[in-house]
Amino acid sequence: MDLREFGEFLRSRRDRIRPGEVGLPVQARRRVPGLRRDEVAALAGASIDYYNQLEQGRGAQPSEQMVAALARALRLSEDERAHLYFLAGRPIPPKHSLAAHVHPGMLDLLQRLPTTPAAVITDLHAVLVQNRLATALLGPISKAKGREASFVYRWFTDPQARSRYHPDEHGHQSRVFVADLRAVAARRGRDEQVAGLIGALLSASHEFAELWAHQEVAVRRADRKRLLHPELGELELDCLSLLSEDGTQRLLWFTAPVGGDSAEKLALLDVLGSHDLSTSTAG
């Protein structure tokens, strides 16, 4: 661990990024060519004081989650991200973990969707990052770890996970989740994470076990959802997916179909702002 080098590397990466590249307002006059410390702290979800300590090479060793958040905030390449973990004295997270590398291209596309709810998720439907409108629509990113971070797992084991979906949608969504998970399992091959998730669901959910026995398989690329928002009421939305080249991550975004009042309700999300809801339903 070398916190002094860690801080210098953060500063060098911060200096090269322009505010507009990460969705921040572009001001005519700025004292620094790149991002300010407070801007990086906000993008990474850290306090300004804590981030200042990191750049100054002081304070406690940053967690793996904080290193991942900083790498995303600074749009680091995969090699730069690995270097940041090395300087922090932390192991590079497994490819499919919640701290997995989000490709800068995915983040760039997410940033270019400011007027529609959008998120980047893993192939097991764990949310890695989402924009402000996604938080307003779906709630904050779940803080669950391990297999509980997967929305598929929570869908079949926690009734609260279904509260944002219209009851008439539950059966359809269950079938789609199971078919998609079977496709993921086939693509990953002998993957312990996927096998563990499937085994846990087979033990915990009779519904999942019945659907799994049907052998249906289909990658989830597009779907229509009927969501229940606490203030906006029912929204019928199209959920579209863009898969990464290796299929391990997906960019989701929501649009309103032609007709109905869902488009007007989506426009109200900007007014309502982000809600402090207990669970994100991205996926």
Side-chain angles (χ1 to χ4, degrees), residues 5-18 21-22 24 34-45 51 54-55 66-78 80-81 84 101-105 107-108 111:
E5 288 287 341
F6 184 88
E8 291 181 0
F9 188 65
L10 288 179
R11 187 163 55 253
S12 71
R13 301 304 90 182
R14 171 170 64 85
D15 288 344
R16 70 176 182 173
I17 298 178
R18 301 298 180 264
E21 296 173 346
V22 293
L24 295 174
L35 297 179
R36 300 192 304 266
R37 289 188 180 92
D38 63 301
E39 291 171 333
V40 177
L43 290 170
Y51 182 77
L54 289 179
E55 275 210 4
M66 179 52 61
V67 178
L70 290 168
R72 292 169 187 166
L74 294 170
R75 301 296 195 267
L76 299 187
S77 68
E78 193 163 1
E80 291 171 330
R81 176 177 175 272
L84 194 67
H101 178 64
V102 180
H103 192 281
L107 289 176
D108 182 60
Q111 200 62 58

Side-chain angles (χ1 to χ4, degrees), residues 210-267:
E210 283 191 342
L211 292 172
W212 189 255
H214 291 170
Q215 297 285 328
E216 293 184 2
V217 55
V219 176
R220 190 174 197 173
R221 294 183 174 88
D223 199 8
R224 181 163 290 186
K225 300 172 182 284
R226 292 167 66 190
L227 298 176
L228 302 177
H229 191 276
E231 295 185 45
L232 298 176
E234 182 179 333
L235 293 90
E236 184 176 27
L237 301 173
D238 290 325
C239 179
L240 306 173
S241 300
L242 175 66
L243 278 65
S244 62
E245 186 175 357
D246 62 2
T248 60
Q249 294 179 8
R250 307 173 185 186
L251 174 67
L252 304 181
W253 70 97
F254 295 83
T255 61
V258 177
D261 60 357
S262 292
E264 295 179 2
K265 291 180 178 180
L266 273 183

Side-chain angles (χ1 to χ4, degrees), residues 10 12 24 32 42-44 70 92 105 112 121 127 129 137 163 172 180 189 220 238 251 254 256 263 265 271-272 279:
L10 288 179
S12 71
L24 295 174
V32 295
L43 290 170
L70 290 168
I92 299 174
R112 293 176 186 273
I121 69 172
V127 182
V129 60
L137 176 66
S163 63
H172 167 72
D180 184 79
R220 190 174 197 173
D238 290 325
L251 174 67
F254 295 83
K265 291 180 178 180
V271 179
L272 293 176
T279 306

Side-chain angles (χ1 to χ4, degrees), residues 3-154:
L3 289 182
R4 182 182 64 81
E5 288 287 341
F6 184 88
E8 291 181 0
F9 188 65
L10 288 179
R11 187 163 55 253
S12 71
R13 301 304 90 182
R14 171 170 64 85
D15 288 344
R16 70 176 182 173
I17 298 178
R18 301 298 180 264
E21 296 173 346
V22 293
L24 295 174
V26 180
Q27 300 172 343
R29 297 181 179 179
R30 291 177 63 88
R31 296 182 179 179
V32 295
L35 297 179
R36 300 192 304 266
R37 289 188 180 92
D38 63 301
E39 291 171 333
V40 177
L43 290 170
S47 70
I48 298 175
D49 287 343
Y50 177 69
Y51 182 77
N52 285 339
Q53 289 181 13
L54 289 179
E55 275 210 4
Q56 294 164 6
R58 302 187 293 111
Q61 180 186 24
S63 67
E64 291 181 30
Q65 291 76 19
M66 179 52 61
V67 178
L70 290 168
R72 292 169 187 166
L74 294 170
R75 301 296 195 267
L76 299 187
S77 68
E78 193 163 1
D79 289 338
E80 291 171 330
R81 176 177 175 272
H83 184 62
L84 194 67
Y85 273 95
F86 171 76
L87 295 176
R90 297 292 187 184
I92 299 174
K95 187 175 184 179
H96 303 295
S97 75
L98 291 178
H101 178 64
V102 180
H103 192 281
M106 281 278 196
L107 289 176
D108 182 60
L109 286 173
L110 178 67
Q111 200 62 58
R112 293 176 186 273
L113 296 171
T115 61
T116 189
V120 179
I121 69 172
T122 71
D123 54 2
L124 296 182
H125 297 263
V127 182
L128 297 174
V129 60
Q130 63 186 21
N131 65 13
R132 187 176 61 85
L133 288 184
T135 301
L137 176 66
L138 306 170
I141 295 175
S142 172
K143 296 181 180 179
K145 304 298 181 184
R147 64 172 60 105
E148 288 80 10
S150 166
F151 187 65
V152 177
Y153 182 82
R154 298 199 305 276

